Amino acid sequence: MSELQSGWSTALILLAISLLVHEPWRWIGLFLGRNLNIESSVFQWVRSVATALVAGLVMRLVLFPAGALQGVSLGVRSFAMVAGVAAFFYIGRRLSVGVGAGALALAAGTLIIG
Amino acid sequence: MIIDDDSLPPQPAPEEAWWRGASRAAVFRRGMMVAFSVPGLILLASAGGFGALANDAGFSLANAVFMMGVFFALPGQVVMLDQMARGGSLAGGALAVALTGIRLLPMSVALMPYLKGPRATRLGYIIAAHFIAVTAWMEGWRRLPRIPAEHRIDHFIGIGTGLVAATLFGTTAGFLAAGAVPSFIAAVLLFLTPVYFLVSLIATSSGLSDRLAIVAGAMLGPPLYIMVPGLDLLLTGLIGGTIAHFGARAWDKS
């Protein structure tokens, strides 16, 4: 399969895989949600499921990182995460402040501690 | 230009709201501007990471960009890229991609009530569906409840279009700059995504069940990733979300 990374055949394979096994999840989700009432208990449950899922994804990205983030120690990654959340709460509840503080804390931690 | 994006939980729109008297095109364009906001720039950086990865894997620039566009969900792309780069079977790759895609189902279900409106057509839903990945979902979740139902589908398709454009640009830039970015900078760029996800979840949370869901998901995610990689996110959502939902109801009753 080493020849597969370029050319039209690869594009077709990527298109087929996305349409057959990836995109349908989105369609099914919208279909299932079509009659859902925002006030209903089922919707509140789905909302909790989606929220817990994304929280789990966050932990995965921080605790089991890929690429260059693997070079940063677990302590620095965790500290930067806490710093971002704390900054969000204590400095005006702004998304940009939380994200910026998290990134700065990671940069500072990497430079000072490694 | 970075629009400082206010991140208050969903609330009634003020009287001087921007959408008053706005045309459908204006509502769409307003959504597209998300590409220049903090979430848009973070997604751009993530797409840059994907572009660099695709270059390493031996993909052509055209196919890396095409893959970003047709999947528009980084986990599935990275899995497929890895499988093709290693020369693994396409069936195995397809199965892994399907597993990463399952998480999009509950997110789509949860967003659907906010997409409905008098202007939503079947084609509109199919287009909107394609944009459901964590960033666009988060932005839809945050912004749609604040605007009238008639504008929601147009605004969300605008958000999705802006974010897709940002990722296509980011993939191209990352592909071309692969290897030229110091690892220290690359680490910070990679870190932006989880911080944005977590802060945004906290910012949009309202009520005990949301807060419990964040805590339960964060606690269940790592052990489930070790025990059942592939299905971990779906199980984290189902188990954590169910605990949070019924826990909050029991607490409210007592």
Side-chain angles (χ1 to χ4, degrees):
Chain A
M1 233 175 76
S2 58
E3 299 303 310
L4 268 179
Q5 273 85 293
S6 61
W8 287 104
S9 53
T10 308
L12 276 177
I13 289 166
L14 293 174
L15 182 67
I17 287 179
S18 81
L19 285 179
L20 292 176
V21 302
H22 194 257
E23 199 74 6
W25 296 116
R26 293 167 164 147
W27 298 332
I28 296 168
L30 290 192
F31 181 77
L32 292 177
R34 77 198 184 287
N35 290 327
L36 213 52
N37 182 340
I38 292 174
E39 307 297 322
S40 71
S41 180
V42 178
F43 176 75
Q44 297 301 331
W45 174 71
V46 172
R47 184 189 165 106
S48 294
V49 169
T51 302
L53 188 156
V54 177
L57 176 63
V58 168
M59 294 302 279
R60 192 166 99 177
L61 291 171
V62 174
L63 298 184
F64 312 99
L69 203 50
Q70 283 172 337
V72 178
S73 70
L74 176 64
V76 171
R77 280 180 262 141
S78 311
F79 160 74
M81 208 68 190
V82 173
V85 172
F88 169 78
F89 275 118
Y90 293 107
I91 312 173
R93 284 189 163 253
R94 295 185 91 83
L95 186 64
S96 48
V97 170
V99 173
L104 274 180
L106 189 88
T110 312
L111 289 178
I112 297 164
I113 304 164
Chain B
M1 173 184 57
I2 298 176
I3 298 162
D4 196 10
D5 215 342
D6 212 356
S7 52
L8 297 167
Q11 58 185 343
E15 282 304 309
E16 65 284 7
W18 59 265
W19 42 260
R20 274 182 194 277
S23 67
R24 291 188 69 174
V27 171
F28 172 85
R29 280 199 304 272
R30 181 96 187 190
M32 271 184 80
M33 292 305 286
V34 72
F36 299 103
S37 70
V38 171
L41 295 176
I42 293 168
L43 193 58
L44 184 109
S46 309
F50 170 73
L53 211 60
N55 193 339
D56 280 352
F59 272 63
S60 66
L61 173 61
N63 275 327
V65 172
F66 181 71
M67 192 176 188
M68 182 75 236
V70 293
F71 280 80
F72 194 56
L74 288 167
Q77 288 165 227
V78 172
V79 162
M80 196 62 218
L81 196 73
D82 188 57
Q83 183 80 357
M84 290 177 94
R86 288 169 200 232
S89 77
L90 283 181
L95 179 67
V97 168
L99 287 176
T100 68
I102 299 176
R103 77 181 194 293
L104 301 171
L105 193 152
M107 288 164 48
S108 305
V109 177
L111 194 64
M112 183 61 174
Y114 292 116
L115 289 177
K116 285 195 290 193
R119 286 174 182 165
T121 58
R122 182 166 300 175
L123 178 64
Y125 286 136
I126 289 174
I127 296 170
H130 186 62
F131 301 135
I132 298 176
V134 183
T135 303
W137 177 79
M138 227 28 136
E139 288 310 294
W141 192 246
R142 216 151 66 75
R143 297 164 177 228
L144 297 182
R146 294 192 236 166
I147 65 172
E150 67 199 79
H151 288 318
R152 288 177 181 169
I153 190 94
D154 294 335
H155 194 55
F156 185 73
I157 291 175
I159 291 174
T161 308
L163 291 178
V164 166
T167 57
L168 299 185
F169 179 75
T171 304
T172 307
F175 189 98
L176 297 176
V181 178
S183 65
F184 158 67
I185 305 282
V188 173
L189 291 178
L190 281 175
F191 189 68
L192 292 174
T193 300
V195 184
Y196 159 65
F197 286 170
L198 184 60
V199 173
S200 193
L201 266 190
I202 294 170
T204 49
S205 68
S206 62
L208 181 63
S209 65
D210 282 357
R211 290 195 285 273
L212 280 179
I214 295 171
V215 174
M219 284 170 62
L220 286 168
L224 284 171
Y225 174 72
I226 293 166
M227 287 187 289
V228 277
L231 280 175
D232 58 319
L233 290 182
L234 184 71
L235 288 176
T236 300
L238 284 175
I239 301 171
T242 305
I243 293 172
H245 179 69
F246 290 102
R249 288 179 75 179
W251 178 265
D252 285 342
K253 274 182 195 149
S254 66

